[in-house]
Amino acid sequence: MKTVWITGCSSGFGLETARHFVDQGWSVVATMRTPDASLLPASARLKIVPLDVTEPASIARAVEAAGPIDALVNNAGIGWLSTFEGTPETTMRALFETNTFGTFAMIRAVLPQMRAQQSGVIVNVSSSVTLKPLPLLPVYTASKAAVNAYTECLALELAPLGIRTRLVLPGQAPGTSFGSTARALMAKANETPDDYQAFVEQVMSAFTANAAQELTHPADVVQAIWRAVTDEDCPLRLPAGSDALALAA
């Protein structure tokens, strides 16, 4: 029986992906900063483990609790939507600590066992915003674009060791809590100068209109992650959702 470790399982893509892998007969290590067993159906093949990907000690404890794994899905992340000048430095650093360096740290933690077994799959969940320049997203996009470039280079290093590395690029999914979390952060920490106000209002109006369309469904992302883990011949980059597919095309 194979085991997958999925980060960021308290909601959204991570939660639905954990459910799917359990349903498909896998053993699942579902990690959350604040574990809540009520979020997932009870199963002998499910471990819910506390994890903060920005804390080395937390990662070390989670590695010990997880035990041997066959696949790692780096899904944990935080969103942000604002002008560059409206983004406090603390927010910039928090985005990179979670989205970028958290991903690096997780992979560093599992590579020794994957090298020893000469097999494994690493799936990094990035974002389709990296496929096209978009306003109010310079910092968030940078944190994810770094993951893209890193993953593509890492794949070349790990392939000779029997380890597969893949990217999943979800589109806009307003139905998840990810977008609402980003907007809540923006409301608390936004420092955008007044000179940008008209532009921001225009962009946010378009963003709200698009949000009503539900362009990417969680099931789209779950299926892309499932394919990335189970299909040895799938491409390195997997757009997920109709809008992501359109951008990729």
Side-chain angles (χ1 to χ4, degrees):
M1 186 184 303
K2 292 190 174 183
T3 300
V4 60
W5 181 351
I6 307 165
T7 67
C9 290
S10 61
S11 64
F13 304 146
L15 180 60
E16 296 304 320
T17 301
R19 286 193 181 117
H20 182 77
F21 274 86
V22 170
D23 289 345
Q24 297 302 313
W26 281 57
S27 291
V28 174
V29 180
T31 66
M32 313 172 187
R33 276 193 281 191
T34 305
D36 183 351
S38 69
L39 294 174
L40 288 159
S43 171
R45 291 181 285 101
L46 173 67
K47 291 181 183 178
I48 297 179
V49 175
L51 172 66
D52 183 338
V53 300
T54 69
E55 294 290 341
S58 178
I59 293 174
R61 289 191 297 268
V63 168
E64 184 175 355
I69 65 167
D70 300 284
L72 169 66
V73 177
N74 283 308
N75 169 74
I78 55 176
W80 178 254
L81 188 71
S82 185
T83 62
F84 174 71
E85 278 197 279
T87 304
E89 185 169 342
T90 53
T91 301
M92 285 191 279
R93 293 186 180 278
L95 283 167
F96 274 84
E97 286 293 340
T98 299
N99 297 350
T100 312
F101 296 119
T103 295
F104 294 176
M106 287 299 304
I107 293 172
R108 188 182 292 275
V110 304
L111 277 181
Q113 63 170 284
M114 288 187 174
R115 283 191 288 103
Q117 66 198 25
Q118 295 188 315
S119 66
V121 185
I122 296 167
V123 179
N124 293 331
V125 180
S126 180
S127 174
S128 65
V129 302
T130 58
L131 302 175
K132 178 184 178 180
L134 294 167
L136 305 190
L137 285 165
V139 178
Y140 174 75
T141 299
S143 73
K144 289 295 190 179
V147 171
N148 293 4
Y150 161 81
T151 303
E152 291 170 343
C153 294
L154 186 69
L156 301 176
E157 296 179 10
L158 299 186
L161 306 179
I163 303 168
R164 291 190 291 113
T165 312
R166 298 291 185 266
L167 271 170
V168 170
L169 306 168
Q172 182 180 324
T176 70
S177 63
F178 188 82
S180 60
T181 301
R183 289 190 290 273
L185 284 171
M186 183 180 175
K188 289 193 297 183
N190 187 37
E191 298 177 356
T192 299
D194 290 341
D195 290 344
Y196 293 101
Q197 194 59 42
F199 177 73
V200 169
E201 289 176 0
Q202 178 185 0
V203 173
M204 290 302 294
S205 177
F207 178 82
T208 301
N210 287 337
Q213 298 177 30
E214 188 66 36
L215 300 173
T216 292
H217 298 274
D220 300 327
V221 181
V222 171
Q223 286 302 315
I225 293 171
W226 173 255
R227 184 184 178 194
V229 171
T230 61
D231 180 358
E232 293 185 8
D233 297 322
C234 77
L236 189 149
R237 287 175 171 239
L238 290 170
S242 58
D243 54 331
L245 288 166
L247 284 172

